[in-house]
Amino acid sequence: MADIGLIGLGTMGAALALNIAENRFDLAVWNRTGSRTSAFYDESGKLAQRITPTYTLESFVKAIRPPRAIILMLPAGRVVDDMITELDALLDPDDLIIDAGNANFHDTNRRSAGKRPFIGIGISGGEEGARSGPSVMAGGLRKYWDRVAPIFDAIAAKYKGSTCAIWAGEAGAGHFVKTVHNGIEYADMQMIADVYGIMRDGMDMNSQSIGGVFERWNAGELKSYLIEVSWKVASTRDVITGLALLDVILDKAGQKGTGQWAVIEAQQLGTPVTTMEAAVASRNLSARREERIQAELVFSPAMIGGTKMVIEIDVLERALLAAKIIGYAQGFAMISAASARFGWALPLPDIAKVWRAGCIIRSAMLNDMAAALAEAPGRNLAFAPAFADKLDATQGDLRSVVADATRAGIAVPALSASLNWFDEMRTGRGTANLIQAQRDYFGRHGFQRIDSDLADHHGPWISPDKDSQVPGTGAMNM
Ligand code: 6PG
């Protein structure tokens, strides 16, 4: 009998199933379209001996040893709820359902509060990761995770011998951590796209040379999977035209929604994740291609006469480094806020550790981040001495890159969002005194004075119309 069952043989599901079989677990698989199941089985080679293909849900359930554990690898939303309902009718009360797709953690909270044993696990690493070792972020009742941990520990990526699988906390904690991972993924990708834009449009570099820059950076502090991916895609030629493949790809970014979930959640938590927000907004803007093309004709170009930007590649590298630290700091601050809000004890250093291998945002920096987060729980990652020193040493580069790009009219949404976050964060006396004054003037919302602990001061404000002092809000005098 199978040790575990898996439903959903799409790209990620199929890869995960093969990984499970390769790690010597027997598994039963089912897919709503049976032809996909038989094709998967036929292509599974020597791993077929560990796989039981099934063509009805009844035979799938019967093929798994009780108490059963069933992994769902399905698109987020309704499909998962419908599948749970269908399975519920066939399962024993203590059989466990595991949603290992990208779920909204609120759905996972709801599903794990039901009668059916249920846990949500975030899996990262794309197809390659799912096949050969993903990063695993689990949530739900610990006793349910313990039942399947040996399987997930076995299939997870390893970083210098340590397993990249974690139980983050109860209910939707695992899917929440995966959502933040994806928010950071969006931020990271957009920052790289920003520097790509500078090199392509500002410095007139071709894809091949840009690929060479990414390749070099991948040997330094920026070493990461996404820089490696960027190097490889920038260096690839189109088999049809012979041009750089990047140059024939339409500039409209897709998105399945996890980046949006991350920024919506950050807003609900009151955590500023400006770099993620800029990255999501930039994908949305990219989709408005027709509007962008029209606007290009309306406005005069910012870069006069095609003058090239002159930026040293090393300066660009250090600017990206600074922005990246800020993007990650925002993500970890969001996890910290959620931990307090939802009563989880999300282990930030351990989360950084499971991101060191297998997942999309894996990067050389995460090992130091794990150490910095462990040093002083609750402290913003950007203020940890190791990262504060790096930020201080590179902030000038980020500043000059953003300034030069802005002057040239090259959009750098993620880099500038990072820089603005940094500048706001390091400003002891900000400008919110004016916001408070405006709020009190038009709505009598009150403000706190710097020389008093009382929270509820009002004006009195000058009335612009009457040029006289008015007590309290000016709204009444307008
Ligand atoms: C991962 C990825 C993955 C995500 C894709 C596409 O960790 O393996 O985050 O879960 O679905 O990267 O995401 P978008 O379509 O939203 O870009």
Side-chain angles (χ1 to χ4, degrees):
M1 277 196 134
D3 301 307
I4 195 160
L6 185 143
I7 291 179
L9 293 168
T11 310
M12 290 291 282
L16 203 70
L18 294 175
N19 188 354
I20 292 171
E22 186 136 270
N23 278 282
R24 297 169 203 279
F25 295 100
D26 292 326
L27 87 156
V29 295
W30 183 81
N31 195 77
R32 196 165 290 283
T33 313
S35 55
R36 177 73 207 114
T37 309
S38 46
F40 164 76
Y41 184 68
D42 293 346
E43 289 157 14
S44 59
K46 65 176 177 18
L47 295 175
Q49 52 180 320
R50 296 216 169 263
I51 297 169
T52 308
T54 62
Y55 297 92
T56 63
L57 263 189
E58 288 77 7
S59 58
F60 168 74
V61 168
K62 281 195 188 123
I64 309 163
R65 191 177 32 254
R68 300 173 183 87
I70 295 172
I71 301 174
L72 307 184
M73 290 298 283
L74 300 170
R78 236 341 254 286
V79 182
V80 174
D81 285 314
D82 291 348
M83 197 68 246
I84 294 170
T85 309
E86 272 188 79
L87 279 171
D88 239 351
L90 302 169
L91 295 179
D92 293 337
D94 56 349
D95 290 346
L96 172 67
I97 297 181
I98 302 155
D99 180 5
N102 267 338
N104 185 313
F105 85 99
H106 291 293
D107 286 338
T108 309
N109 281 345
R110 171 176 55 78
R111 290 168 186 146
S112 46
K115 278 209 192 91
R116 163 68 46 208
F118 183 91
I119 60 174
I121 302 186
I123 300 270
S124 175
E127 184 182 6
E128 182 209 314
R131 177 65 183 88
S132 54
S135 186
V136 174
M137 296 147 257
L141 283 185
R142 178 79 207 216
K143 62 177 182 180
Y144 296 146
W145 163 244
D146 286 343
R147 266 165 66 176
V148 290
I151 298 180
F152 283 94
D153 283 349
I155 64 166
K158 308 288 175 298
Y159 176 87
K160 296 186 179 165
S162 108
T163 301
C164 294
I166 190 180
W167 175 78
E170 296 196 344
H175 275 140
F176 177 84
V177 172
K178 175 62 170 52
T179 301
V180 178
H181 166 283
N182 280 35
I184 297 175
E185 172 184 313
Y186 272 54
D188 228 345
M189 290 169 77
Q190 185 60 46
M191 285 178 218
I192 302 173
D194 286 2
V195 295
Y196 162 70
I198 291 175
M199 288 191 273
R200 185 191 67 183
D201 302 333
M203 300 164 78
D204 234 357
M205 289 168 64
N206 63 30
S207 287
Q208 204 66 31
S209 7
I210 295 173
V213 170
F214 289 143
E215 180 180 5
R216 233 181 36 242
W217 289 354
N218 202 43
E221 274 196 278
L222 284 173
K223 183 174 170 53
S224 61
Y225 178 61
L226 284 170
I227 290 285
E228 181 192 330
V229 166
S230 309
W231 148 34
K232 293 189 173 156
V233 298
S235 310
T236 302
R237 291 216 165 271
D238 175 28
V239 287
I240 300 169
T241 59
L243 299 168
L245 186 50
L246 263 190
D247 294 338
V248 297
I249 296 179
L250 194 71
D251 55 336
K252 280 168 114 169
Q255 51 181 319
K256 296 211 185 75
T258 47
Q260 286 181 9
W261 292 345
V263 302
I264 288 169
E265 214 44 56
Q267 292 281 359
Q268 304 276 14
L269 288 165
T271 312
V273 292
T274 55
T275 317
M276 284 184 206
E277 286 165 5
V280 174
S282 187
R283 287 206 194 186
N284 293 337
L285 253 163
S286 81
R288 297 169 173 257
R289 180 164 179 265
E290 290 67 31
E291 241 176 300
R292 289 189 285 114
I293 290 172
Q294 280 171 22
E296 196 169 40
L297 301 173
V298 173
F299 302 105
S300 44
M303 199 148 51
I304 313 295
T307 314
K308 268 201 197 181
M309 281 174 72
V310 184
I311 297 186
E312 282 174 38
I313 293 295
D314 291 356
V315 170
L316 215 48
E317 181 181 14
R318 288 194 295 271
L320 186 53
L321 189 71
K324 189 176 167 112
I325 293 170
I326 291 165
Y328 279 64
Q330 293 178 2
F332 282 109
M334 182 177 167
I335 296 177
S336 200
S339 201
R341 171 78 63 89
F342 303 127
W344 290 326
L346 297 174
L348 271 70
D350 293 342
I351 291 168
K353 283 184 187 162
V354 300
W355 288 347
R356 289 178 302 183
C359 66
I360 303 291
I361 64 166
R362 61 188 184 259
S363 99
M365 244 188 248
L366 276 159
N367 196 37
D368 294 340
M369 287 185 175
L373 289 163
E375 258 167 37
R379 177 183 61 194
N380 190 297
L381 176 67
F383 307 151
F387 288 98
D389 288 352
K390 265 196 227 304
L391 259 181
D392 224 16
T394 52
Q395 59 151 316
D397 299 302
L398 180 57
R399 207 170 291 290
S400 68
V401 166
V402 170
D404 289 357
T406 305
R407 213 172 287 119
I410 293 171
V412 282
L415 296 183
S416 58
S418 290
L419 179 61
N420 278 310
W421 178 94
F422 175 72
D423 279 339
E424 278 199 83
M425 277 299 267
R426 64 180 192 91
T427 300
R429 173 80 173 146
T431 53
N433 51 325
L434 178 63
I435 306 290
Q436 286 298 76
Q438 290 165 334
R439 292 176 70 243
D440 189 58
Y441 187 96
F442 63 65
R444 211 176 151 71
H445 293 292
F447 56 83
Q448 186 180 345
R449 296 177 57 97
I450 54 174
D451 52 7
S452 153
D453 286 339
L454 296 176
D456 210 20
H457 290 276
H458 297 282
W461 302 108
I462 289 283
S463 159
D465 296 339
K466 298 189 178 143
D467 196 20
S468 63
Q469 197 89 7
V470 290
T473 173
M476 291 182 290
N477 302 288
M478 289 174 83

